[in-house]
Amino acid sequence: MITSKFSNIKIAGIAAELPNKCVNAHDYDELFGAETVSKNIETTGVRQSYHALPEQTSSDLAFVAAKRLMEEMDIDPSTIGVLIFTAAYLDYQVPPTACVLHKRLGLSTDCIAFDTNLACSGYVYGIQTMCSVLQSSDATRGLLLNGDITSKVISPLDKSRMLFGDGGTATLFEKCEEAPQITVGMKTDGSRFKSIIVPAGGYRNPEASHERVEWADGNVRSDYDLFMNGMDVFGFTMTDVPRLALEFLRNQKQSAETYDAFIFHQPNLFILKHLLKKLKAPAEKMPISLDRYGNTSVCAIPVTLCDHFGGKGQGEKRVFLYGFGVGLSWACADVTIDTDHIYTIEHTDDYFTEGTVSHG
């Protein structure tokens, strides 16, 4: 485990934005069969999710969340010195989507802006990256923006489609001398990169076929659709994921009693219960959001924070954050957050009309 510790930096505010289109799990009854859908609900806990419009991208959702967060907290755009956008599916191959968001938010040219290409672990990795940049620079504020539109990269004939939802989030970081320490622990196992993959669409397999055919797992997809090796991912979440969480607690010299809440990535209910049992933490400390929003990938942790704390004004809370998935990569964090500036989830159909560029 690589451990990072940061002082004098705080998470100052969080906002989350989801699409308007709600998809109920039973909408898939005709396609996959009512019995299959009901069993999926029972095992995963996902009852509904929200899917982006064809025109919406991950950055559109993150932009609306960032705009609302800055307005709610009366943040002058010129004071933002760092913008990091984390997503698995970006707007363009070039330029970085972070630069487009920089323009849309009206940020100063005295601002660092870049993308990181991660999914389920991306929020915690993003915390580490943001804190590193702030600690090593004279910037005083940073925006960590997250977004994913997984519904667009899953075959419509793939049963795992029932698990995923889309979303965008914004998290404000500020330098603050009184801020409690932030600690992050991270791991990567690239030997299992094929476990969760979109095989084509980049430059590795440029001649891949777009035809959707039945794969060995019984799902119909093409090489341009998301594939998850169920057995690999299950094994990872049953062993490696709880192992790091326990190692992190030992490293912190803490126990489950230390934390006010455990905010985990939201893959499915069975995995979450298994992880909670390994940590010997009470169920009431583990908020669940996947039943209403699905697995929102890189947004799952901040979406769950907004769902649980948003608009309730509960003051500072010490929380254990944990993201794990694509890469394979996994990371946990010990953070104290002022929940008075965690806002309720809202929905949008907005998208960037200037974003469609063609010279054909």
Side-chain angles (χ1 to χ4, degrees):
M1 174 177 66
I2 296 296
T3 304
S4 303
K5 296 180 183 292
F6 304 99
S7 300
N8 306 323
I9 299 171
K10 70 174 182 179
I11 294 176
I14 305 173
E17 205 77 25
L18 302 180
N20 271 314
K21 181 183 177 182
C22 182
V23 180
N24 188 284
H26 285 293
D27 292 344
Y28 295 103
D29 281 359
E30 184 176 348
L31 180 61
F32 299 128
E35 185 177 345
T36 296
V37 172
S38 295
K39 184 177 180 180
N40 185 76
I41 294 171
E42 182 181 348
T43 56
T44 68
V46 178
R47 297 183 175 277
Q48 66 177 39
S49 60
Y50 292 84
H51 290 187
L53 296 173
E55 301 88 351
Q56 278 181 312
T57 69
S58 55
S59 72
D60 289 326
L61 297 165
F63 167 77
V64 178
K67 195 74 174 174
R68 178 160 59 95
L69 180 63
M70 294 171 70
E71 290 172 354
E72 291 278 5
M73 300 188 66
D74 194 25
I75 301 298
D76 182 346
S78 68
T79 65
I80 302 296
V82 186
L83 188 156
I84 300 172
F85 180 61
T86 302
Y89 314 109
L90 302 169
D91 289 12
Y92 312 102
Q93 292 184 342
V94 291
T97 303
C99 294
V100 181
L101 286 163
H102 177 279
K103 170 258 188 302
R104 296 182 69 187
L105 291 168
L107 305 187
S108 164
T109 53
D110 295 319
C111 175
I112 303 165
F114 60 92
D115 296 340
T116 57
N117 179 222
L118 277 169
C120 309
S121 64
Y123 187 70
V124 182
Y125 267 73
I127 290 173
Q128 197 277 346
T129 306
M130 177 60 76
C131 289
S132 295
V133 175
L134 286 174
Q135 187 168 273
S136 61
S137 72
D138 59 0
T140 58
R141 278 179 171 156
L143 277 174
L144 174 62
L145 305 186
N146 303 95
D148 260 324
I149 44 170
T150 314
S151 69
K152 295 178 184 285
V153 295
I154 299 182
S155 165
L157 303 176
D158 190 330
K159 296 181 184 66
S160 68
R161 186 174 184 81
M162 293 184 281
L163 298 176
F164 291 94
D166 302 332
T169 65
T171 303
L172 178 69
F173 289 74
E174 293 180 339
K175 285 183 176 175
C176 174
E177 291 185 4
E178 299 81 24
Q181 182 173 268
I182 293 174
T183 305
V184 183
M186 302 180 292
K187 281 180 176 284
T188 305
D189 183 3
S191 70
R192 290 183 276 181
F193 76 93
K194 293 182 180 179
S195 297
I196 307 173
I197 189 172
V198 178
Y203 291 101
R204 180 61 63 190
N205 302 303
E207 304 300 327
S209 171
H210 285 270
E211 182 185 2
R212 289 191 170 109
V213 297
E214 185 172 328
W215 288 33
D217 63 357
N219 285 294
V220 176
R221 62 173 74 88
S222 79
D223 283 341
Y224 293 85
D225 297 320
L226 180 68
F227 165 71
M228 292 192 300
N229 185 314
M231 291 304 296
D232 284 357
V233 175
F234 182 77
F236 168 64
T237 55
M238 291 296 104
T239 56
D240 300 90
V241 170
R243 190 178 296 138
L244 174 61
L246 293 170
E247 181 184 355
F248 185 77
L249 284 178
R250 288 193 299 269
N251 183 271
Q252 289 290 91
K253 296 181 173 58
Q254 302 295 341
S255 65
E257 288 76 23
T258 303
Y259 301 94
D260 296 302
F262 291 83
I263 310 296
F264 299 147
H265 173 55
Q266 303 281 299
N268 70 52
L269 195 56
F270 181 86
I271 291 170
L272 292 177
K273 288 181 177 179
H274 173 74
L275 184 53
L276 196 68
K277 182 178 180 181
K278 288 290 185 180
L279 290 173
K280 298 179 180 178
E284 60 268 20
K285 284 190 176 184
M286 183 187 70
I288 299 293
S289 66
L290 62 86
D291 56 328
R292 284 151 294 134
Y293 312 121
N295 176 349
T296 52
S297 186
V298 69
C299 298
I301 291 173
V303 162
T304 305
L305 283 166
C306 289
D307 182 66
H308 185 64
F309 291 115
K312 297 178 182 176
Q314 298 181 30
E316 287 194 342
K317 298 291 183 181
R318 188 171 180 179
V319 296
F320 185 109
L321 309 179
Y322 199 178
F324 42 90
V326 174
L328 295 173
S329 58
W330 56 120
C332 44
D334 179 339
V335 302
T336 300
I337 304 176
D338 180 2
T339 64
D340 291 349
H341 295 290
I342 296 181
Y343 299 96
T344 56
I345 295 170
E346 293 192 4
H347 298 260
T348 183
D349 281 337
D350 290 357
Y351 60 92
F352 187 39
T353 57
E354 296 175 42
T356 301
V357 181
S358 175
H359 299 289

